[in-house]
Amino acid sequence: MTDFNEARERMVERQIVRRGIRDPQVLAAMRVVPREAFVPDYVRDLAYEDRPLPIGNEQTISQPAIVATMIEAAELQPGDIVLDVGTGSGYAAAVAAAIAAHVYSIERHAELVATARDILARLNISNVTVHLGDATTGLAEHAPYDAIIAAAGGPHIPAAWRNQLAIGGRIVMPVGRELHYQRLVKLVRRGEDDYRSSSLGEVSFVPLVGADAWPGPDAAQCDAGGTLGTMDTGGTGGTGGADDRRPCPMSAGAHASRHRLLAVA
């Protein structure tokens, strides 16, 4: 039988600390939040492996190292109000909530919302509120946010998130025009219209779906390359124009490999 407390400590030392994560608040949060409570029973014994795991609805719980990396990059402090994009199992929201004052989390899959709410309630985590909806529009009623952390990759940072970010606030999000690979981007709001961006390394996340990101899986037909596309009617041979391709749904196995760290600069 797995000793989860021992496995959790080993995970922090081998997967988190050895990758250079030093924020004591992040390390403490990773040590107290039980990842095994957020995964299905059939993968419970794998909860502290250095990998993402399936949680249903073709979604995954992120690799522990990427959760720690993103939360450290978000520079969370006690008193912060956080928007967590892509609730999934609720694990990343729970880790953030171990540091911040309150986490508002948003998820588009109703089944995952219900499951996450149940897990968080069972663990007596009361400073996470899970909402169902389109995460790309944010949650204006709770703005401004000191940090916005996204567990899905989009072609750009949604405009609503920029507007709902407090001055001095941080957005951490995977951004890229490819389905399988993105750059982890950190955006800091320095002033009303002053944003500074930096890249933290290569990552692989499921697509961010919504009005200001990738369209849903039924928006068009898949092409052979695993993307959704519009027909080329311009007669220009497809060169020199914007890439209108969009990601297609992936198999459960492909989804289970998302939310992982490839490299951090």
Side-chain angles (χ1 to χ4, degrees):
M1 185 174 181
T2 303
D3 182 335
F4 289 117
N5 290 330
E6 181 180 314
R8 193 178 311 117
E9 180 61 30
R10 187 167 57 246
M11 176 266 292
V12 171
E13 292 300 324
R14 296 181 181 179
Q15 301 174 31
I16 311 300
V17 174
R18 288 186 184 178
R19 282 190 168 99
I21 294 168
R22 295 287 183 264
D23 186 328
Q25 295 184 114
V26 175
L27 298 179
M30 297 295 290
R31 284 188 167 103
V32 299
V33 178
R35 192 171 188 250
E36 71 274 11
F38 293 87
V39 300
D41 287 343
Y42 71 94
V43 291
R44 191 173 166 88
D45 286 343
L46 304 176
Y48 293 101
E49 295 292 312
D50 189 17
R51 53 179 286 195
L53 295 170
I55 57 171
N57 289 89
E58 296 189 323
Q59 303 297 305
T60 63
I61 183 173
S62 297
Q63 176 188 12
I66 193 62
V67 174
T69 296
M70 294 177 77
I71 291 177
E72 182 176 62
E75 301 179 54
L76 299 188
Q77 298 297 324
D80 278 358
I81 303 300
V82 179
L83 178 62
D84 171 64
V85 174
T87 311
S89 68
Y91 175 68
V95 174
I99 304 171
H102 202 96
V103 177
Y104 294 96
S105 188
I106 186 164
E107 169 61 55
R108 72 187 186 93
H109 294 286
E111 298 89 344
L112 294 181
V113 168
T115 300
R117 286 173 175 168
D118 180 62
I119 294 170
L120 292 164
R122 283 192 279 111
L123 294 175
N124 295 314
I125 298 174
S126 60
N127 62 331
V128 176
T129 305
V130 181
H131 294 259
L132 175 67
D134 179 358
T136 67
T137 63
L139 287 171
E141 59 268 36
H142 302 297
Y145 298 100
D146 300 292
I148 299 174
I149 305 172
H156 56 262
I157 295 174
W161 299 4
R162 292 172 177 260
N163 294 333
Q164 293 173 23
L165 192 65
I167 304 298
R170 295 79 57 195
I171 295 175
V172 180
M173 175 191 174
V175 177
R177 295 291 297 177
E178 294 186 26
L179 174 60
H180 299 296
Y181 301 103
Q182 303 96 15
R183 300 287 297 179
L184 187 60
V185 170
K186 178 177 180 177
L187 186 78
V188 179
R189 188 174 192 178
R190 302 288 186 87
E192 190 64 30
D193 297 307
D194 182 10
Y195 298 87
R196 302 294 173 86
S197 179
S198 59
S199 176
L200 304 178
E202 297 178 351
V203 290
S204 182
F205 275 77
V206 295
L208 177 66
V209 173
D212 196 12
W214 303 117
D218 298 327
Q221 289 187 329
C222 292
D223 65 25
T227 59
L228 298 174
T230 57
M231 291 181 64
D232 179 7
T233 58
T236 61
T239 61
D243 184 358
D244 291 328
R245 294 178 301 169
R246 298 293 186 264
C248 279
M250 289 183 284
S251 68
H255 272 280
S257 69
R258 301 298 137 221
H259 293 214
R260 63 193 178 98
L261 187 68
L262 300 180
V264 172

